[in-house]
Amino acid sequence: MNRLGKKQNETLIEMALSADGEELNGPLCETISTTGSEAPSNSEGLNSTETTLLIPERQGQSGRRFNLFLKRRLRIDKRHQSKDSIFFRDGVRRIDFVLSYVDDLNKEWEKKLERRKEFESNLQKAGLELETEDKKESEDGKIYFVKIHAPWEVLITYAEVLNIKVPIKENDIPSTVENPLDCMLTPLRLPEKVMHPEPDYFTAPFSKDKQELYLINDESTFFSPSMRNRIVNYILTRCPYGTEEGKKKFGIKRLLNNGTYSAAYPLHDCQYWKKANDPNCDNERYTLYMEWARFLRFYKEQPLDLIRKYYGEKIGIYFAWLGFYTEMLFLAAVVGLICFLYGLFTMDENMSSQEICDPAIGGEIIMCPLCDQKCDYWRLNTTCAPSEYSHLFDNVATLFFAIFMGIWVTLFLEFWKRRQARLKYEWDLVDFEEEQQQLQLRPEYEAKCTQKKKNPVTQELELVAKKRTLHDHGKLFMCYMGILSWVRPRCLKHSLAVWKNMEMEPYLPITSQAVRFCISGTTVLFWVSLIIASMIAVIVYRLAVYAAFASLMENTQNLQPIRGLLTPQLATSVTASCLNFVIIMILNFLYERIAIWITDMEIPRTHMEYENRLTMKMFLFQFVNYYSSCFYVAFFKGKFAGYPGAYTYMFNRWRNEECDPAGCLIELTTQLTIVMAGKQIWGNIQEAIVPWICNWWGRRKARSNPENLYSRWEQDHDLQTFGALGLFYEYLEMVIQFGFITLFVASFPLAPLLALMNNILEIRVDSWKLTTQYRRPVAAKAHSIGVWQEILNGMAILSVVTNAFIVAFTSDMIPRLVYYYAYSENEDSPMSGYINNSLSVFQISDFPERNRPEAKAENFVICRYRDYRYPPDHEKKYLHTMQFWHILAAKLAFIIIMEHVVFIVKFFVAWMIPDVPSDVKAKIKREKYLTQKILHEYELEKLKERLCQGDKGATEKEFIATEGRMELSSAM
């Protein structure tokens, strides 16, 4: 629109430039004063309040231009409502969606213009109302904004198609009896108005023919803003905009991808830091920020109903799951902390570390070199500190905690099912047809699949017309076009042709599918192989640098390390873990884009297929990427090292690593801590700091503008986009964390505590960024966390196996128990002598030239190494002893027993806990009965009216049948 009387492509800033020294045309144009005063006088039509908005301290030509720009904006806006508004200029019609574009004069300018004209024309034909803000009124003078309003007729039409439930009667089911302990939780509660922003109603799917049945007090507020933007988004994603290269083109997503529009988003209802001046505004964003998104409210419960009302059920169910997961972590964190404290308090009583640290025992034991030639012999007591610290995690409590976490996982998953069932009832998702929502054809599938076949279900046109599923993306739009065609007969032929074509559905030939799946599978295997190769590279790094660390940190004169704590093993482990973390982050960054690309290339048919395929690709990659190093340390390191004189080598060059005499558990703990903590810190930086910096940079110019000139659509336009995969990454982050605290928790009881602290921060960071740094997402429905539930179940089962193997093969618990019950010779102190028993003897003269240290041995002829082998003077020289086989049998027996015990308890607990609480079942049945009763009574009353009016179509038999249906429903 052109409200300034200037040519169409001239911005206010350009007008200000031309005004410097010449008179402008039009009623709003004025000449720059030569008196040096930058403030306009009262004769210019600005009051004293508006005058203060100008910047008198700006001097020179740029200051005059900027003030002229502000004066023009002020004069324009005097005739309209505040720019910080969510309504059209008339102040009545609500803005449900905003499209923005930059009218740049490039090669495709005319093509984009034609697309926009066709698209916006079709939107208006579909019933939507548009209002355009010219680029002259934008902050930078470049961006056009198209505001979209859905009138009542459009809302009720699409509400019926989308099966939206609306209130028919206030809920009269009494609430659950209050818990007497609720008074103790009062400090954690939020105000009732925040927790329950609207009354509870009985609901029913909307029908245009039964409008008087619903509680419609005000048509403008009957559908919530989230419902309205969901309906408009449905139209936008299916509205056509022309034909290109012989293919029909449609959907706002394609227009965004080709640059026709730069953004499409619904509006926030107000600024997050203060309430709106408009009394009709609900200020829900402000309430969410004050009561939920601030970190100082970390101890408060989440306003899930308000989150669901503002953002939709899909985002609401994520925060409900994250909050419940965090609550359950509290119990696991407490038990893990108790196990850690047990190890801390009993550290001085650990006989193994006492013997290692004793100069008379550990100080007299000479250990074999840990690498070839460069490494020297060393005394056992040099590992005193690591052996003491390993007891923190390798003790009897480790076994208890591993079993406890196996049961905790089951309790978490089962209680979440109950919590989810309660939310489904409270949020009217009990009868939510996920298939109707998710099994709709993707617009990309319909656009890329040019071949069509007859639908095997519909077959005939009549059946197509009766089938009311969302994947018939153009049905409603074509119905509306058909009505218009009745008014304009010349369009009738085209509408009927399109309608008839609906019985033909697009499909992807089997040959094309096979080729795409082969390419996709090969790509995934390549990247998984790349991860394994990077892990092998880290292992080679560990093997290669250990000798360097050993030569730098060892003093060959007395075989003592330079430092008591920083051993070559620890230095190698820490640096390798940090290097592995960096590689993980780089590969993760690259693969995210590859996974999306190959999933798009597969052209999944439905939205559910797309999400499931992408989820499995990403999770498989992340699983291997994050956990491979932990699996290596837990199950491979030190297990295939060989023995002195017969070491095993990787690629026949690098000698395999050995575990510390105190075991590999402390190294697994180090690896887990660095990767898990590093991922959480990096994730919070990505989620909070990066969007904040981007928004700060994008709004640096707008901050100099007066607040009442910075329109609501411009403010939201400068925010970051919460894409369709926004929640996907949030779930993925939490599921990977779930793997850390379940798969390897036997090695690190403090992992649940770290996860708890991270999740307390995560909830507030996610809520803060969603409320303040991102545009308002389009509302979407979901009645569960989807495929993530199955992934969590699979990880819960796998965690029992991994923890059993960690206790058996990574920790020293089983060897100590075997020694305690079968090989101990001291009844007063059964564990004394364990260290000497667990170390085998090797004769130095048996070293081959490849392994022999460069420094010569001084006063000893033997060295010790960690294994159970016969001494050099035995007839079975260097072969495994019987104790080795006893320990191996005990380890295997332990794994079988532990797995069966935990699995039996898990399945018993799962069987004992019903998925749906009994009171929720009763409420669901009660609500269904009352809803059916209300609907039947309504139909009966309408039938009575028809009979009284003498309608011949209403027969007495129909009346009797309706009453009978009511009685049958009541009896059921």
Side-chain angles (χ1 to χ4, degrees):
M1 62 181 207
N2 187 7
R3 300 193 301 176
L4 299 178
K6 294 293 292 180
K7 58 185 180 180
Q8 188 69 20
N9 60 349
E10 186 176 18
T11 66
L12 281 173
I13 296 177
E14 292 168 341
M15 293 170 63
L17 289 174
S18 63
D20 190 28
E22 72 177 78
E23 184 175 353
L24 295 175
N25 296 326
L28 298 179
C29 300
E30 46 207 314
T31 306
I32 301 296
S33 174
T34 58
T35 62
S37 174
E38 300 296 331
S41 65
N42 289 338
S43 62
E44 292 177 309
L46 300 178
N47 59 35
S48 58
T49 304
E50 294 166 334
T51 303
T52 61
L53 293 174
L54 302 180
I55 307 176
E57 59 270 15
R58 289 202 178 200
Q59 301 297 327
Q61 183 179 3
S62 62
R64 291 195 298 271
R65 293 171 182 170
F66 184 76
N67 282 331
L68 182 58
F69 167 73
L70 294 186
K71 287 189 290 183
R72 295 183 184 284
R73 285 288 292 267
L74 286 168
R75 297 188 118 196
I76 293 170
D77 293 331
K78 285 182 68 177
R79 300 194 298 269
H80 303 282
Q81 85 280 10
S82 170
K83 281 285 183 179
D84 189 18
S85 173
I86 56 174
F87 294 95
F88 276 19
R89 297 189 193 98
D90 57 17
V92 177
R93 293 174 293 172
R94 185 185 185 95
I95 302 173
D96 297 314
F97 229 88
V98 174
L99 307 178
S100 67
Y101 62 91
V102 178
D103 201 3
D104 50 348
L105 300 176
N106 55 21
K107 295 180 179 179
E108 296 187 353
W109 176 76
E110 293 184 358
K111 185 182 293 185
K112 292 180 180 179
L113 179 62
E114 187 65 28
R115 290 172 186 159
R116 283 194 292 267
K117 285 183 178 180
E118 182 70 18
F119 185 71
E120 292 173 13
S121 174
N122 288 333
L123 289 179
Q124 291 175 324
K125 290 177 182 178
L128 297 179
E129 298 175 0
L130 310 181
E131 184 177 81
T132 302
E133 291 288 333
D134 196 271
K135 66 179 181 180
K136 298 174 183 178
E137 300 185 26
S138 65
E139 186 272 330
D140 60 359
K142 298 178 181 179
I143 304 175
Y144 290 87
F145 292 94
V146 180
K147 299 175 288 186
I148 302 176
H149 169 75
W152 174 253
E153 294 75 15
V154 173
L155 292 174
I156 60 176
T157 302
Y158 282 87
E160 184 174 4
V161 173
L162 293 174
N163 203 33
I164 293 178
K165 289 187 175 182
V166 294
I168 58 175
K169 180 183 178 183
E170 192 164 349
N171 193 338
D172 60 357
I173 300 177
S175 59
T176 308
V177 180
E178 294 187 1
N179 189 338
L181 299 178
D182 281 349
C183 59
M184 299 176 60
L185 302 177
T186 302
L188 308 180
R189 303 295 187 194
L190 289 173
E192 182 67 19
K193 186 177 180 180
V194 177
M195 288 301 299
H196 304 289
E198 54 188 3
D200 190 15
Y201 295 100
F202 292 138
T203 59
F206 188 85
S207 175
K208 292 175 63 177
D209 301 331
K210 304 175 182 177
Q211 293 189 41
E212 59 270 25
L213 175 64
Y214 308 112
L215 301 180
I216 305 176
N217 298 321
D218 185 356
E219 292 182 355
S220 62
T221 59
F222 179 69
F223 293 103
S224 66
S226 60
M227 291 181 182
R228 298 174 69 100
N229 72 56
R230 181 183 163 212
I231 290 174
V232 174
N233 182 69
Y234 178 82
I235 299 173
L236 290 174
T237 55
R238 286 155 178 80
C239 182
Y241 60 86
T243 302
E244 297 178 6
E245 299 177 357
K247 298 179 182 179
K248 290 185 298 182
K249 303 292 184 178
F250 54 86
I252 186 62
K253 184 176 180 180
R254 185 176 292 274
L255 291 173
L256 291 172
N257 291 336
N258 60 32
T260 304
Y261 290 99
S262 59
Y265 53 93
L267 292 180
H268 285 292
D269 63 351
C270 66
Q271 296 169 334
Y272 68 86
W273 65 87
K274 70 174 186 177
K275 293 184 177 180
N277 296 325
D278 191 340
N280 297 323
C281 182
D282 294 331
N283 297 296
E284 292 174 347
R285 185 190 187 193
Y286 170 80
T287 303
L288 286 171
Y289 174 73
M290 298 300 295
E291 302 291 346
W292 178 51
R294 295 191 300 168
F295 181 74
L296 294 179
R297 313 291 283 181
F298 73 92
Y299 62 94
K300 293 285 189 178
E301 61 183 337
Q302 298 187 85
L304 295 178
D305 288 346
L306 184 58
I307 297 171
R308 171 244 182 173
K309 180 184 177 185
Y310 192 76
Y311 291 114
E313 287 80 1
K314 194 169 186 178
I315 291 179
I317 205 76
Y318 163 74
F319 280 103
W321 176 81
L322 180 57
F324 182 81
Y325 172 44
T326 305
E327 292 172 7
M328 291 294 293
L329 273 177
F330 182 79
L331 175 61
V334 170
V335 177
L337 182 61
I338 292 174
C339 293
F340 174 78
L341 293 176
Y342 170 82
L344 180 64
F345 293 144
T346 60
M347 191 163 56
D348 295 335
E349 302 174 5
N350 181 28
M351 183 60 66
S352 299
S353 60
Q354 288 179 6
E355 290 185 346
I356 292 175
C357 297
D358 189 350
I361 302 177
E364 297 298 326
I365 297 178
I366 306 299
M367 301 296 294
C368 297
L370 294 175
C371 65
D372 294 337
Q373 297 180 344
K374 298 295 182 182
C375 296
D376 203 354
Y377 303 99
W378 53 284
R379 298 186 184 275
L380 181 61
N381 64 346
T382 59
T383 61
C384 175
S387 67
E388 290 179 335
Y389 295 140
S390 67
H391 179 72
L392 294 173
F393 311 105
D394 190 0
N395 52 67
V396 178
T398 301
L399 174 60
F400 165 77
F401 192 61
I403 297 174
F404 167 80
M405 286 301 294
I407 300 173
W408 175 88
V409 170
T410 304
L411 292 174
F412 163 64
L413 295 175
E414 293 302 318
F415 281 123
W416 165 245
K417 291 178 184 177
R418 292 170 61 85
R419 174 65 171 147
Q420 190 170 257
R422 192 175 296 277
L423 287 175
K424 287 173 64 176
Y425 165 73
E426 294 175 354
W427 291 356
D428 291 325
L429 299 172
V430 174
D431 297 325
F432 173 64
E433 298 178 9
E434 181 107 9
E435 293 184 358
Q436 190 181 30
Q437 172 79 5
Q438 296 291 337
L439 294 182
Q440 52 182 302
L441 292 181
R442 296 173 62 239
E444 295 82 357
Y445 180 85
E446 295 180 283
K448 293 180 181 180
C449 298
T450 56
Q451 301 188 41
K452 296 182 180 295
K453 66 178 181 180
K454 183 173 289 188
N455 191 306
V457 177
T458 57
Q459 294 295 325
E460 296 180 2
L461 183 60
E462 291 80 7
L463 295 178
V464 177
K466 292 178 181 178
K467 187 178 180 183
R468 304 193 55 164
T469 57
L470 296 185
H471 76 262
D472 294 330
H473 71 277
K475 186 180 73 171
L476 192 63
F477 181 79
M478 290 304 129
C479 287
Y480 193 87
M481 293 291 290
I483 295 174
L484 294 178
S485 300
W486 180 75
V487 180
R488 291 174 286 185
R490 60 188 177 86
C491 300
L492 180 59
K493 183 177 180 180
H494 172 71
S495 296
L496 289 177
V498 175
W499 176 254
K500 185 176 181 180
N501 191 47
M502 289 180 61
E503 65 177 313
M504 305 296 288
E505 66 174 12
Y507 81 103
L508 193 65
I510 189 67
T511 54
S512 178
Q513 292 184 39
V515 172
R516 293 173 186 275
F517 279 128
C518 287
I519 296 175
S520 175
T522 304
T523 306
V524 172
L525 288 177
F526 168 77
W527 279 88
V528 171
S529 302
L530 188 62
I531 298 173
I532 297 175
S534 66
M535 184 190 70
I536 294 176
V538 174
I539 295 173
V540 170
Y541 164 84
R542 301 168 72 108
L543 301 177
V545 303
Y546 181 83
F549 279 122
S551 61
L552 290 174
M553 302 173 64
E554 293 286 344
N555 186 329
T556 56
Q557 294 180 357
N558 54 13
L559 303 177
Q560 295 291 331
I562 296 175
R563 299 179 181 178
L565 179 61
L566 188 60
T567 63
Q569 295 96 321
L570 182 61
T572 303
S573 176
V574 171
T575 56
S577 298
C578 294
L579 176 62
N580 182 68
F581 175 72
V582 173
I583 293 175
I584 286 173
M585 292 295 103
I586 294 174
L587 291 177
N588 187 39
F589 174 80
L590 296 175
Y591 183 76
E592 283 183 3
R593 286 142 185 82
I594 297 296
I596 295 174
W597 176 75
I598 59 179
T599 305
D600 290 338
M601 182 203 60
E602 293 174 5
I603 316 180
R605 187 173 185 271
T606 65
H607 292 282
M608 180 175 288
E609 286 183 15
Y610 184 89
E611 291 180 5
N612 290 348
R613 291 183 188 181
L614 181 61
T615 298
M616 295 310 298
K617 290 184 183 67
M618 286 296 296
F619 177 73
L620 175 63
F621 178 85
Q622 299 270 19
F623 185 92
V624 179
N625 197 19
Y626 281 106
Y627 302 144
S628 58
S629 58
C630 294
F631 272 98
Y632 164 73
V633 175
F635 306 124
F636 295 97
K637 182 182 177 181
K639 308 301 186 294
F640 310 100
Y643 63 94
Y647 290 117
T648 57
Y649 290 82
M650 177 179 288
F651 307 127
N652 200 31
R653 180 176 179 181
W654 292 285
R655 191 175 116 187
N656 286 341
E657 289 183 285
E658 299 178 47
C659 285
D660 191 270
C664 278
L665 197 68
I666 186 65
E667 188 169 342
L668 177 59
T669 303
T670 303
Q671 178 79 22
L672 186 66
T673 304
I674 291 176
V675 176
M676 180 179 176
K679 182 185 182 303
Q680 293 178 349
I681 294 172
W682 178 251
N684 288 325
I685 291 175
Q686 279 186 313
E687 292 182 11
I689 299 179
V690 173
W692 180 82
I693 292 176
C694 294
N695 288 335
W696 175 84
W697 182 257
R699 291 182 295 189
R700 66 192 186 283
K701 293 181 180 179
R703 284 195 298 273
S704 62
N705 285 351
E707 192 172 281
N708 67 328
L709 300 186
Y710 194 27
S711 65
R712 163 65 33 216
W713 44 92
E714 288 178 279
Q715 294 176 42
D716 287 7
H717 180 269
D718 290 339
L719 298 177
Q720 299 297 300
T721 302
F722 191 80
L725 298 177
L727 279 185
F728 169 82
Y729 292 115
E730 301 296 342
Y731 276 117
L732 183 62
E733 178 186 4
M734 288 295 102
V735 170
I736 294 297
Q737 182 204 86
F738 182 81
F740 279 123
I741 70 167
T742 54
L743 297 177
F744 307 102
V745 73
S747 66
F748 191 34
L750 291 180
L753 181 61
L754 289 181
L756 174 65
M757 293 188 294
N758 173 80
N759 286 9
I760 292 174
L761 179 64
E762 180 77 19
I763 291 175
R764 304 304 158 179
V765 168
D766 286 349
S767 59
W768 174 81
K769 72 178 184 182
L770 200 61
T771 307
T772 67
Q773 304 300 310
Y774 283 89
R775 297 170 186 162
R776 185 173 184 172
V778 178
K781 280 185 172 289
H783 73 291
S784 68
I785 62 175
V787 71
W788 299 108
Q789 182 79 34
E790 302 304 321
I791 293 177
L792 293 175
N793 289 332
M795 296 183 71
I797 295 174
L798 180 61
S799 67
V800 177
V801 180
T802 56
N803 284 301
F805 272 85
I806 287 174
V807 174
F809 285 96
T810 309
S811 76
D812 268 1
M813 181 173 296
I814 302 302
R816 287 198 297 263
L817 290 175
V818 171
Y819 178 81
Y820 183 91
Y821 288 106
Y823 291 90
S824 177
E825 298 176 355
N826 190 336
E827 296 182 357
D828 297 331
S829 180
M831 288 305 297
S832 61
Y834 168 73
I835 291 298
N836 185 64
N837 176 266
S838 64
L839 298 176
S840 298
V841 179
F842 182 79
Q843 191 167 341
I844 294 176
S845 59
D846 292 339
F847 265 125
E849 192 63 31
R850 180 179 184 179
N851 305 133
R852 190 182 302 277
E854 294 177 351
K856 295 182 179 180
E858 298 179 357
N859 301 320
F860 46 87
V861 295
I862 62 170
C863 63
R864 310 293 293 273
Y865 60 97
R866 181 183 172 86
D867 207 342
Y868 294 92
R869 294 179 181 271
Y870 289 109
D873 57 352
H874 196 276
E875 61 180 3
K876 297 181 179 180
K877 180 180 179 179
Y878 300 141
L879 295 179
H880 284 300
T881 63
M882 188 57 65
Q883 186 176 353
F884 170 84
W885 301 110
H886 288 168
I887 292 174
L888 181 59
K891 289 179 177 180
L892 297 177
F894 170 80
I895 291 173
I896 295 173
I897 294 173
M898 178 179 171
E899 286 181 357
H900 282 71
V901 169
V902 176
F903 279 134
I904 289 173
V905 174
K906 281 172 61 70
F907 293 138
F908 178 75
V909 170
W911 174 75
M912 286 287 294
I913 301 176
D915 293 346
V916 182
S918 57
D919 63 316
V920 172
K921 287 183 179 179
K923 289 180 179 180
I924 292 174
K925 292 179 180 179
R926 171 68 176 166
E927 181 168 349
K928 283 186 176 180
Y929 163 71
L930 292 177
T931 302
Q932 290 177 356
K933 182 179 179 181
I934 293 171
L935 292 174
H936 293 165
E937 289 177 350
Y938 169 80
E939 292 177 359
L940 190 61
E941 289 297 323
K942 297 296 288 184
L943 191 56
K944 286 181 179 178
E945 292 179 5
R946 291 169 60 190
L947 288 172
C948 293
Q949 294 173 1
D951 188 350
K952 297 181 179 180
T955 64
E956 185 178 353
K957 290 184 178 180
E958 185 179 356
F959 180 77
I960 296 173
T962 303
E963 283 190 323
R965 187 171 60 177
M966 288 181 57
E967 295 176 359
L968 180 61
S969 175
S970 177
M972 292 176 62

